Amino acid sequence: MIKKIVASSIIGIVIVVSLAVAFSTSDMEPEPAPESNLTYSMQGVLQPDVMTGGDVIMPTKVSRPGCEETDRCYIPSVITISSGESVTWVNEDSAFHSVTSGFYDEPQTLFDSGHMDPFDSYTLTFDEAGTFDYFCTLHPWMEGQVIVE
Ligand SMILES: [Cu+2]
């Protein structure tokens, strides 16, 4: 009789503990990663007069081919701004990248960031309307475009 009571109370404790664990783990959803603008505001690149225009991210893993299939080597791969506005590129990858005008087969000398370290940013102001193609000198499949209206 005593054994039965002990056994059933042990089962009861096991059930209570496992329920508590189940409920507590359901509250432990990982927090979403903080927004990336922390990185370049820390570098002091974003000044109030540079806030118009837009940001382009070089995301992780674009140093290997494949990102071009979904147009995600630079995000966004095409950015449209008004003349006088700026674009800031941020390298969120762990590899070097560049923002270089033209195409890999046909580079131009309008602009070139040089090799950007991880989390480096590069800001350009576009005063003239036009379509500006650019690429990464290290990864020929990385292509993007700035359209200035
Ligand atoms: Cu690259």
Side-chain angles (χ1 to χ4, degrees):
M1 180 63 183
I2 290 174
K3 276 185 184 171
K4 271 187 183 172
I5 291 172
V6 169
S8 62
S9 58
I10 287 175
I11 290 169
I13 289 169
V14 167
I15 290 172
V16 167
V17 167
S18 55
L19 279 176
V21 168
F23 276 107
S24 63
T25 50
S26 68
D27 289 337
M28 289 171 65
E29 292 287 316
E31 292 276 317
E35 288 295 314
S36 59
N37 29 0
L38 186 61
T39 306
Y40 38 91
S41 60
M42 276 168 58
Q43 293 178 347
V45 172
L46 276 187
Q47 278 118 38
D49 59 337
V50 187
M51 299 280 293
T52 53
D55 298 331
V56 177
I57 304 299
M58 290 101 115
T60 55
K61 298 182 181 175
V62 292
S63 58
R64 63 188 87 157
C67 55
E68 75 282 7
E69 290 166 14
T70 51
D71 266 346
R72 292 178 73 80
C73 298
Y74 298 93
I75 300 177
S77 62
V78 178
I79 187 168
T80 302
I81 60 170
S82 301
S83 61
E85 291 185 334
S86 302
V87 176
T88 296
W89 286 265
V90 182
N91 181 8
E92 295 195 348
D93 194 17
S94 55
F96 296 126
H97 295 289
S98 84
V99 174
T100 307
S101 65
F103 298 93
Y104 191 80
D105 296 338
E106 202 179 324
Q108 294 172 0
T109 54
L110 278 176
F111 53 87
D112 182 14
S113 67
H115 293 177
M116 291 170 65
D117 283 317
F119 299 104
D120 264 2
S121 59
Y122 175 63
T123 300
L124 278 178
T125 302
F126 291 84
D127 291 324
E128 287 177 33
T131 298
F132 301 90
D133 294 292
Y134 65 89
F135 68 99
C136 175
T137 54
L138 299 164
H139 310 105
W141 52 89
M142 294 179 65
E143 294 183 338
Q145 199 174 59
V146 178
I147 298 173
V148 183
E149 296 180 330

